[in-house]
mmCIF file of all heavy atoms in Angstrom:
data_model
loop_
_atom_site.group_PDB
_atom_site.id
_atom_site.type_symbol
_atom_site.label_atom_id
_atom_site.label_comp_id
_atom_site.label_asym_id
_atom_site.label_seq_id
_atom_site.Cartn_x
_atom_site.Cartn_y
_atom_site.Cartn_z
ATOM 1 N N MET A 1 -31.833 5.825 0.710
ATOM 2 C CA MET A 1 -30.766 5.616 -0.264
ATOM 3 C C MET A 1 -29.463 6.274 0.193
ATOM 4 O O MET A 1 -28.379 5.716 0.007
ATOM 5 C CB MET A 1 -31.168 6.152 -1.638
ATOM 6 C CG MET A 1 -32.352 5.435 -2.254
ATOM 7 S SD MET A 1 -32.091 3.678 -2.421
ATOM 8 C CE MET A 1 -33.662 3.073 -1.900
ATOM 9 N N THR A 2 -29.567 7.450 0.820
ATOM 10 C CA THR A 2 -28.376 8.112 1.349
ATOM 11 C C THR A 2 -27.721 7.240 2.417
ATOM 12 O O THR A 2 -26.513 7.017 2.405
ATOM 13 C CB THR A 2 -28.734 9.492 1.933
ATOM 14 O OG1 THR A 2 -29.323 10.291 0.906
ATOM 15 C CG2 THR A 2 -27.510 10.199 2.476
ATOM 16 N N THR A 3 -28.515 6.722 3.328
ATOM 17 C CA THR A 3 -28.001 5.867 4.399
ATOM 18 C C THR A 3 -27.378 4.599 3.837
ATOM 19 O O THR A 3 -26.277 4.204 4.243
ATOM 20 C CB THR A 3 -29.129 5.505 5.386
ATOM 21 O OG1 THR A 3 -29.683 6.711 5.910
ATOM 22 C CG2 THR A 3 -28.615 4.631 6.511
ATOM 23 N N GLU A 4 -28.045 3.952 2.893
ATOM 24 C CA GLU A 4 -27.530 2.716 2.297
ATOM 25 C C GLU A 4 -26.190 2.964 1.605
ATOM 26 O O GLU A 4 -25.259 2.174 1.731
ATOM 27 C CB GLU A 4 -28.525 2.127 1.305
ATOM 28 C CG GLU A 4 -29.793 1.588 1.916
ATOM 29 C CD GLU A 4 -29.617 0.268 2.640
ATOM 30 O OE1 GLU A 4 -28.618 -0.445 2.394
ATOM 31 O OE2 GLU A 4 -30.486 -0.053 3.463
ATOM 32 N N PHE A 5 -26.077 4.078 0.875
ATOM 33 C CA PHE A 5 -24.843 4.384 0.152
ATOM 34 C C PHE A 5 -23.701 4.659 1.132
ATOM 35 O O PHE A 5 -22.588 4.146 0.967
ATOM 36 C CB PHE A 5 -25.055 5.583 -0.778
ATOM 37 C CG PHE A 5 -23.916 5.821 -1.726
ATOM 38 C CD1 PHE A 5 -23.769 5.038 -2.853
ATOM 39 C CD2 PHE A 5 -22.988 6.818 -1.487
ATOM 40 C CE1 PHE A 5 -22.709 5.241 -3.735
ATOM 41 C CE2 PHE A 5 -21.929 7.033 -2.355
ATOM 42 C CZ PHE A 5 -21.785 6.245 -3.478
ATOM 43 N N ILE A 6 -23.967 5.438 2.162
ATOM 44 C CA ILE A 6 -22.931 5.773 3.150
ATOM 45 C C ILE A 6 -22.459 4.521 3.881
ATOM 46 O O ILE A 6 -21.257 4.334 4.093
ATOM 47 C CB ILE A 6 -23.453 6.838 4.134
ATOM 48 C CG1 ILE A 6 -23.599 8.179 3.411
ATOM 49 C CG2 ILE A 6 -22.533 6.971 5.339
ATOM 50 C CD1 ILE A 6 -24.287 9.255 4.221
ATOM 51 N N LEU A 7 -23.385 3.648 4.267
ATOM 52 C CA LEU A 7 -23.006 2.439 4.994
ATOM 53 C C LEU A 7 -22.178 1.476 4.146
ATOM 54 O O LEU A 7 -21.426 0.664 4.687
ATOM 55 C CB LEU A 7 -24.255 1.723 5.525
ATOM 56 C CG LEU A 7 -24.971 2.430 6.665
ATOM 57 C CD1 LEU A 7 -26.253 1.683 7.033
ATOM 58 C CD2 LEU A 7 -24.075 2.584 7.880
ATOM 59 N N GLU A 8 -22.288 1.567 2.831
ATOM 60 C CA GLU A 8 -21.542 0.672 1.937
ATOM 61 C C GLU A 8 -20.192 1.244 1.486
ATOM 62 O O GLU A 8 -19.473 0.595 0.726
ATOM 63 C CB GLU A 8 -22.377 0.328 0.705
ATOM 64 C CG GLU A 8 -23.531 -0.600 0.996
ATOM 65 C CD GLU A 8 -23.082 -1.991 1.405
ATOM 66 O OE1 GLU A 8 -22.100 -2.516 0.848
ATOM 67 O OE2 GLU A 8 -23.729 -2.549 2.308
ATOM 68 N N MET A 9 -19.837 2.443 1.963
ATOM 69 C CA MET A 9 -18.537 3.016 1.589
ATOM 70 C C MET A 9 -17.417 2.179 2.192
ATOM 71 O O MET A 9 -17.500 1.741 3.334
ATOM 72 C CB MET A 9 -18.432 4.465 2.066
ATOM 73 C CG MET A 9 -19.313 5.426 1.288
ATOM 74 S SD MET A 9 -18.847 5.611 -0.439
ATOM 75 C CE MET A 9 -17.368 6.575 -0.285
ATOM 76 N N ASP A 10 -16.376 1.953 1.411
ATOM 77 C CA ASP A 10 -15.240 1.149 1.864
ATOM 78 C C ASP A 10 -14.375 1.937 2.836
ATOM 79 O O ASP A 10 -14.197 3.152 2.681
ATOM 80 C CB ASP A 10 -14.390 0.714 0.665
ATOM 81 C CG ASP A 10 -15.163 -0.157 -0.300
ATOM 82 O OD1 ASP A 10 -15.955 -0.991 0.174
ATOM 83 O OD2 ASP A 10 -14.971 -0.002 -1.517
ATOM 84 N N THR A 11 -13.811 1.241 3.815
ATOM 85 C CA THR A 11 -12.908 1.893 4.766
ATOM 86 C C THR A 11 -11.481 1.913 4.246
ATOM 87 O O THR A 11 -10.677 2.720 4.692
ATOM 88 C CB THR A 11 -12.933 1.180 6.132
ATOM 89 O OG1 THR A 11 -12.607 -0.194 5.944
ATOM 90 C CG2 THR A 11 -14.293 1.302 6.785
ATOM 91 N N LYS A 12 -11.154 1.036 3.310
ATOM 92 C CA LYS A 12 -9.825 0.987 2.703
ATOM 93 C C LYS A 12 -9.992 0.981 1.195
ATOM 94 O O LYS A 12 -10.762 0.200 0.654
ATOM 95 C CB LYS A 12 -9.076 -0.255 3.162
ATOM 96 C CG LYS A 12 -7.667 -0.311 2.646
ATOM 97 C CD LYS A 12 -6.880 -1.390 3.345
ATOM 98 C CE LYS A 12 -5.471 -1.412 2.818
ATOM 99 N NZ LYS A 12 -4.486 -1.008 3.756
ATOM 100 N N ASN A 13 -9.269 1.863 0.527
ATOM 101 C CA ASN A 13 -9.361 1.980 -0.926
ATOM 102 C C ASN A 13 -7.983 1.773 -1.544
ATOM 103 O O ASN A 13 -7.039 2.488 -1.218
ATOM 104 C CB ASN A 13 -9.895 3.366 -1.311
ATOM 105 C CG ASN A 13 -11.294 3.580 -0.815
ATOM 106 O OD1 ASN A 13 -12.211 2.909 -1.246
ATOM 107 N ND2 ASN A 13 -11.481 4.501 0.115
ATOM 108 N N LEU A 14 -7.889 0.792 -2.423
ATOM 109 C CA LEU A 14 -6.641 0.511 -3.120
ATOM 110 C C LEU A 14 -6.834 0.772 -4.606
ATOM 111 O O LEU A 14 -7.884 0.442 -5.167
ATOM 112 C CB LEU A 14 -6.209 -0.938 -2.907
ATOM 113 C CG LEU A 14 -5.891 -1.342 -1.466
ATOM 114 C CD1 LEU A 14 -5.570 -2.826 -1.396
ATOM 115 C CD2 LEU A 14 -4.745 -0.529 -0.905
ATOM 116 N N CYS A 15 -5.806 1.329 -5.254
ATOM 117 C CA CYS A 15 -5.888 1.631 -6.678
ATOM 118 C C CYS A 15 -6.029 0.353 -7.505
ATOM 119 O O CYS A 15 -6.614 0.364 -8.571
ATOM 120 C CB CYS A 15 -4.696 2.454 -7.133
ATOM 121 S SG CYS A 15 -3.080 1.690 -6.851
ATOM 122 N N ARG A 16 -5.483 -0.737 -6.993
ATOM 123 C CA ARG A 16 -5.644 -2.054 -7.594
ATOM 124 C C ARG A 16 -5.392 -3.086 -6.492
ATOM 125 O O ARG A 16 -4.773 -2.792 -5.474
ATOM 126 C CB ARG A 16 -4.707 -2.252 -8.773
ATOM 127 C CG ARG A 16 -3.242 -2.097 -8.424
ATOM 128 C CD ARG A 16 -2.396 -2.205 -9.669
ATOM 129 N NE ARG A 16 -1.051 -2.603 -9.301
ATOM 130 C CZ ARG A 16 0.034 -2.081 -9.822
ATOM 131 N NH1 ARG A 16 -0.063 -1.153 -10.749
ATOM 132 N NH2 ARG A 16 1.215 -2.500 -9.441
ATOM 133 N N GLU A 17 -5.868 -4.297 -6.705
ATOM 134 C CA GLU A 17 -5.783 -5.323 -5.666
ATOM 135 C C GLU A 17 -4.350 -5.673 -5.286
ATOM 136 O O GLU A 17 -4.067 -5.976 -4.136
ATOM 137 C CB GLU A 17 -6.510 -6.593 -6.109
ATOM 138 C CG GLU A 17 -8.008 -6.480 -6.000
ATOM 139 C CD GLU A 17 -8.691 -7.807 -6.275
ATOM 140 O OE1 GLU A 17 -8.142 -8.856 -5.881
ATOM 141 O OE2 GLU A 17 -9.768 -7.776 -6.882
ATOM 142 N N ASP A 18 -3.447 -5.633 -6.252
ATOM 143 C CA ASP A 18 -2.058 -6.013 -5.970
ATOM 144 C C ASP A 18 -1.145 -4.803 -5.759
ATOM 145 O O ASP A 18 0.060 -4.887 -5.977
ATOM 146 C CB ASP A 18 -1.522 -6.905 -7.093
ATOM 147 C CG ASP A 18 -1.469 -6.188 -8.435
ATOM 148 O OD1 ASP A 18 -2.164 -5.172 -8.586
ATOM 149 O OD2 ASP A 18 -0.740 -6.652 -9.328
ATOM 150 N N CYS A 19 -1.686 -3.684 -5.289
ATOM 151 C CA CYS A 19 -0.877 -2.483 -5.041
ATOM 152 C C CYS A 19 0.175 -2.806 -3.983
ATOM 153 O O CYS A 19 -0.143 -3.301 -2.910
ATOM 154 C CB CYS A 19 -1.762 -1.324 -4.581
ATOM 155 S SG CYS A 19 -0.810 0.173 -4.239
ATOM 156 N N ARG A 20 1.430 -2.521 -4.294
ATOM 157 C CA ARG A 20 2.535 -2.852 -3.392
ATOM 158 C C ARG A 20 2.873 -1.708 -2.447
ATOM 159 O O ARG A 20 3.643 -1.883 -1.512
ATOM 160 C CB ARG A 20 3.753 -3.248 -4.227
ATOM 161 C CG ARG A 20 3.451 -4.505 -5.059
ATOM 162 C CD ARG A 20 4.596 -4.920 -5.944
ATOM 163 N NE ARG A 20 5.763 -5.230 -5.145
ATOM 164 C CZ ARG A 20 7.003 -5.155 -5.601
ATOM 165 N NH1 ARG A 20 7.224 -4.778 -6.839
ATOM 166 N NH2 ARG A 20 8.022 -5.454 -4.825
ATOM 167 N N GLY A 21 2.360 -0.517 -2.720
ATOM 168 C CA GLY A 21 2.554 0.602 -1.801
ATOM 169 C C GLY A 21 3.880 1.301 -1.943
ATOM 170 O O GLY A 21 4.559 1.216 -2.961
ATOM 171 N N ILE A 22 4.268 1.982 -0.874
ATOM 172 C CA ILE A 22 5.497 2.771 -0.841
ATOM 173 C C ILE A 22 6.435 2.162 0.196
ATOM 174 O O ILE A 22 6.013 1.781 1.284
ATOM 175 C CB ILE A 22 5.177 4.239 -0.486
ATOM 176 C CG1 ILE A 22 4.354 4.845 -1.612
ATOM 177 C CG2 ILE A 22 6.437 5.034 -0.223
ATOM 178 C CD1 ILE A 22 3.913 6.253 -1.374
ATOM 179 N N CYS A 23 7.730 2.080 -0.139
ATOM 180 C CA CYS A 23 8.722 1.551 0.787
ATOM 181 C C CYS A 23 8.858 2.508 1.974
ATOM 182 O O CYS A 23 9.060 3.717 1.781
ATOM 183 C CB CYS A 23 10.069 1.385 0.093
ATOM 184 S SG CYS A 23 11.389 0.898 1.221
ATOM 185 N N PRO A 24 8.732 2.017 3.190
ATOM 186 C CA PRO A 24 8.855 2.899 4.352
ATOM 187 C C PRO A 24 10.273 3.412 4.568
ATOM 188 O O PRO A 24 10.483 4.418 5.244
ATOM 189 C CB PRO A 24 8.407 2.024 5.530
ATOM 190 C CG PRO A 24 8.548 0.622 5.067
ATOM 191 C CD PRO A 24 8.412 0.651 3.572
ATOM 192 N N GLY A 25 11.260 2.744 3.962
ATOM 193 C CA GLY A 25 12.648 3.163 4.139
ATOM 194 C C GLY A 25 13.079 4.243 3.164
ATOM 195 O O GLY A 25 13.530 5.317 3.557
ATOM 196 N N CYS A 26 12.942 3.972 1.865
ATOM 197 C CA CYS A 26 13.435 4.908 0.852
ATOM 198 C C CYS A 26 12.334 5.733 0.194
ATOM 199 O O CYS A 26 12.614 6.681 -0.527
ATOM 200 C CB CYS A 26 14.237 4.163 -0.204
ATOM 201 S SG CYS A 26 13.273 2.992 -1.181
ATOM 202 N N GLY A 27 11.068 5.345 0.388
ATOM 203 C CA GLY A 27 9.954 6.096 -0.187
ATOM 204 C C GLY A 27 9.662 5.778 -1.638
ATOM 205 O O GLY A 27 8.886 6.484 -2.288
ATOM 206 N N ALA A 28 10.251 4.729 -2.176
ATOM 207 C CA ALA A 28 10.029 4.359 -3.577
ATOM 208 C C ALA A 28 8.623 3.782 -3.746
ATOM 209 O O ALA A 28 8.143 3.035 -2.899
ATOM 210 C CB ALA A 28 11.062 3.336 -4.017
ATOM 211 N N ASP A 29 7.980 4.164 -4.856
ATOM 212 C CA ASP A 29 6.684 3.579 -5.198
ATOM 213 C C ASP A 29 6.971 2.193 -5.753
ATOM 214 O O ASP A 29 7.478 2.040 -6.868
ATOM 215 C CB ASP A 29 5.956 4.439 -6.227
ATOM 216 C CG ASP A 29 4.578 3.912 -6.581
ATOM 217 O OD1 ASP A 29 4.231 2.779 -6.177
ATOM 218 O OD2 ASP A 29 3.830 4.642 -7.266
ATOM 219 N N LEU A 30 6.667 1.164 -4.989
ATOM 220 C CA LEU A 30 7.033 -0.206 -5.356
ATOM 221 C C LEU A 30 6.247 -0.733 -6.545
ATOM 222 O O LEU A 30 6.582 -1.798 -7.078
ATOM 223 C CB LEU A 30 6.862 -1.121 -4.143
ATOM 224 C CG LEU A 30 7.737 -0.746 -2.940
ATOM 225 C CD1 LEU A 30 7.418 -1.635 -1.756
ATOM 226 C CD2 LEU A 30 9.207 -0.798 -3.293
ATOM 227 N N ASN A 31 5.227 -0.009 -7.000
ATOM 228 C CA ASN A 31 4.488 -0.398 -8.197
ATOM 229 C C ASN A 31 5.247 -0.038 -9.461
ATOM 230 O O ASN A 31 5.049 -0.651 -10.508
ATOM 231 C CB ASN A 31 3.113 0.281 -8.235
ATOM 232 C CG ASN A 31 2.230 -0.178 -7.099
ATOM 233 O OD1 ASN A 31 2.105 -1.358 -6.842
ATOM 234 N ND2 ASN A 31 1.631 0.778 -6.412
ATOM 235 N N THR A 32 6.132 0.974 -9.382
ATOM 236 C CA THR A 32 6.817 1.455 -10.579
ATOM 237 C C THR A 32 8.331 1.326 -10.530
ATOM 238 O O THR A 32 8.985 1.370 -11.564
ATOM 239 C CB THR A 32 6.473 2.941 -10.821
ATOM 240 O OG1 THR A 32 6.887 3.706 -9.686
ATOM 241 C CG2 THR A 32 4.990 3.121 -11.063
ATOM 242 N N GLU A 33 8.913 1.191 -9.342
ATOM 243 C CA GLU A 33 10.364 1.115 -9.223
ATOM 244 C C GLU A 33 10.757 0.194 -8.072
ATOM 245 O O GLU A 33 9.983 0.004 -7.144
ATOM 246 C CB GLU A 33 10.965 2.512 -9.029
ATOM 247 C CG GLU A 33 10.450 3.224 -7.787
ATOM 248 C CD GLU A 33 10.967 4.645 -7.672
ATOM 249 O OE1 GLU A 33 12.187 4.852 -7.784
ATOM 250 O OE2 GLU A 33 10.144 5.538 -7.467
ATOM 251 N N PRO A 34 11.964 -0.344 -8.136
ATOM 252 C CA PRO A 34 12.400 -1.220 -7.043
ATOM 253 C C PRO A 34 12.819 -0.408 -5.819
ATOM 254 O O PRO A 34 13.128 0.776 -5.908
ATOM 255 C CB PRO A 34 13.590 -1.972 -7.645
ATOM 256 C CG PRO A 34 14.118 -1.061 -8.699
ATOM 257 C CD PRO A 34 12.923 -0.306 -9.229
ATOM 258 N N CYS A 35 12.858 -1.085 -4.706
ATOM 259 C CA CYS A 35 13.293 -0.474 -3.448
ATOM 260 C C CYS A 35 14.779 -0.132 -3.538
ATOM 261 O O CYS A 35 15.566 -0.909 -4.072
ATOM 262 C CB CYS A 35 13.021 -1.454 -2.301
ATOM 263 S SG CYS A 35 13.618 -0.875 -0.712
ATOM 264 N N LYS A 36 15.185 1.040 -3.015
ATOM 265 C CA LYS A 36 16.585 1.480 -3.055
ATOM 266 C C LYS A 36 17.295 1.259 -1.721
ATOM 267 O O LYS A 36 18.433 1.656 -1.557
ATOM 268 C CB LYS A 36 16.631 2.952 -3.434
ATOM 269 C CG LYS A 36 16.055 3.237 -4.803
ATOM 270 C CD LYS A 36 16.036 4.728 -5.085
ATOM 271 C CE LYS A 36 15.328 5.002 -6.372
ATOM 272 N NZ LYS A 36 14.022 5.564 -6.193
ATOM 273 N N CYS A 37 16.607 0.659 -0.790
ATOM 274 C CA CYS A 37 17.206 0.412 0.527
ATOM 275 C C CYS A 37 18.242 -0.699 0.441
ATOM 276 O O CYS A 37 18.078 -1.656 -0.310
ATOM 277 C CB CYS A 37 16.137 -0.012 1.539
ATOM 278 S SG CYS A 37 14.884 1.230 1.863
ATOM 279 N N LYS A 38 19.308 -0.553 1.233
ATOM 280 C CA LYS A 38 20.275 -1.633 1.345
ATOM 281 C C LYS A 38 19.732 -2.613 2.374
ATOM 282 O O LYS A 38 19.143 -2.204 3.370
ATOM 283 C CB LYS A 38 21.621 -1.091 1.796
ATOM 284 C CG LYS A 38 22.279 -0.207 0.765
ATOM 285 C CD LYS A 38 23.621 0.247 1.229
ATOM 286 C CE LYS A 38 24.244 1.150 0.168
ATOM 287 N NZ LYS A 38 25.528 1.688 0.595
ATOM 288 N N PRO A 39 19.940 -3.894 2.149
ATOM 289 C CA PRO A 39 19.425 -4.861 3.119
ATOM 290 C C PRO A 39 20.124 -4.688 4.466
ATOM 291 O O PRO A 39 21.324 -4.426 4.527
ATOM 292 C CB PRO A 39 19.733 -6.221 2.498
ATOM 293 C CG PRO A 39 20.710 -5.966 1.408
ATOM 294 C CD PRO A 39 20.614 -4.533 1.026
ATOM 295 N N ASP A 40 19.356 -4.816 5.532
ATOM 296 C CA ASP A 40 19.915 -4.730 6.878
ATOM 297 C C ASP A 40 20.764 -5.966 7.145
ATOM 298 O O ASP A 40 20.380 -7.088 6.814
ATOM 299 C CB ASP A 40 18.798 -4.652 7.925
ATOM 300 C CG ASP A 40 18.039 -3.334 7.855
ATOM 301 O OD1 ASP A 40 18.635 -2.345 7.380
ATOM 302 O OD2 ASP A 40 16.866 -3.304 8.274
ATOM 303 N N ILE A 41 21.909 -5.723 7.754
ATOM 304 C CA ILE A 41 22.808 -6.821 8.090
ATOM 305 C C ILE A 41 22.600 -7.167 9.554
ATOM 306 O O ILE A 41 22.538 -6.287 10.418
ATOM 307 C CB ILE A 41 24.277 -6.427 7.833
ATOM 308 C CG1 ILE A 41 24.469 -6.129 6.343
ATOM 309 C CG2 ILE A 41 25.233 -7.516 8.314
ATOM 310 C CD1 ILE A 41 25.835 -5.597 6.004
ATOM 311 N N ASP A 42 22.502 -8.441 9.822
ATOM 312 C CA ASP A 42 22.368 -8.913 11.196
ATOM 313 C C ASP A 42 23.600 -8.458 11.975
ATOM 314 O O ASP A 42 24.736 -8.707 11.551
ATOM 315 C CB ASP A 42 22.253 -10.438 11.178
ATOM 316 C CG ASP A 42 21.937 -11.025 12.536
ATOM 317 O OD1 ASP A 42 22.244 -10.376 13.559
ATOM 318 O OD2 ASP A 42 21.390 -12.145 12.574
ATOM 319 N N PRO A 43 23.425 -7.759 13.098
ATOM 320 C CA PRO A 43 24.584 -7.248 13.840
ATOM 321 C C PRO A 43 25.558 -8.355 14.275
ATOM 322 O O PRO A 43 26.743 -8.107 14.438
ATOM 323 C CB PRO A 43 23.983 -6.554 15.056
ATOM 324 C CG PRO A 43 22.542 -6.819 15.049
ATOM 325 C CD PRO A 43 22.181 -7.416 13.727
ATOM 326 N N ARG A 44 25.076 -9.568 14.401
ATOM 327 C CA ARG A 44 25.960 -10.666 14.779
ATOM 328 C C ARG A 44 26.914 -11.028 13.643
ATOM 329 O O ARG A 44 27.958 -11.640 13.854
ATOM 330 C CB ARG A 44 25.137 -11.891 15.182
ATOM 331 C CG ARG A 44 24.269 -11.628 16.421
ATOM 332 C CD ARG A 44 23.330 -12.754 16.673
ATOM 333 N NE ARG A 44 22.372 -12.800 15.556
ATOM 334 C CZ ARG A 44 21.401 -13.684 15.438
ATOM 335 N NH1 ARG A 44 21.261 -14.634 16.326
ATOM 336 N NH2 ARG A 44 20.572 -13.645 14.423
#
C-alpha cells in the first residue's frame, strides 16, 4: 500500500484546473488581479 500510494503521487499540483499562475514580468497573481506589465513594443 505504501508503494502504491507513492507511485500514484502527482508530479504537478495545481490549486485548480484553470489556475493562471503568476506573471513572470510584474509578479501579479493572475487569478486575482490583472497583469501590470506594459505591452512590449516591436522595436521596428
Side-chain angles (χ1 to χ4, degrees):
M1 296 303 138
T2 301
T3 302
E4 292 286 341
F5 190 78
I6 290 172
L7 289 176
E8 288 293 321
M9 289 294 287
D10 298 321
T11 56
K12 184 168 181 112
N13 296 295
L14 297 176
C15 58
R16 58 184 203 222
E17 283 187 37
D18 63 340
C19 179
R20 298 178 61 205
I22 294 177
C23 174
C26 65
D29 182 350
L30 299 175
N31 295 312
T32 60
E33 60 185 310
C35 176
K36 298 176 186 106
C37 297
K38 293 183 181 177
D40 291 335
I41 298 174
D42 187 336
R44 297 171 294 179

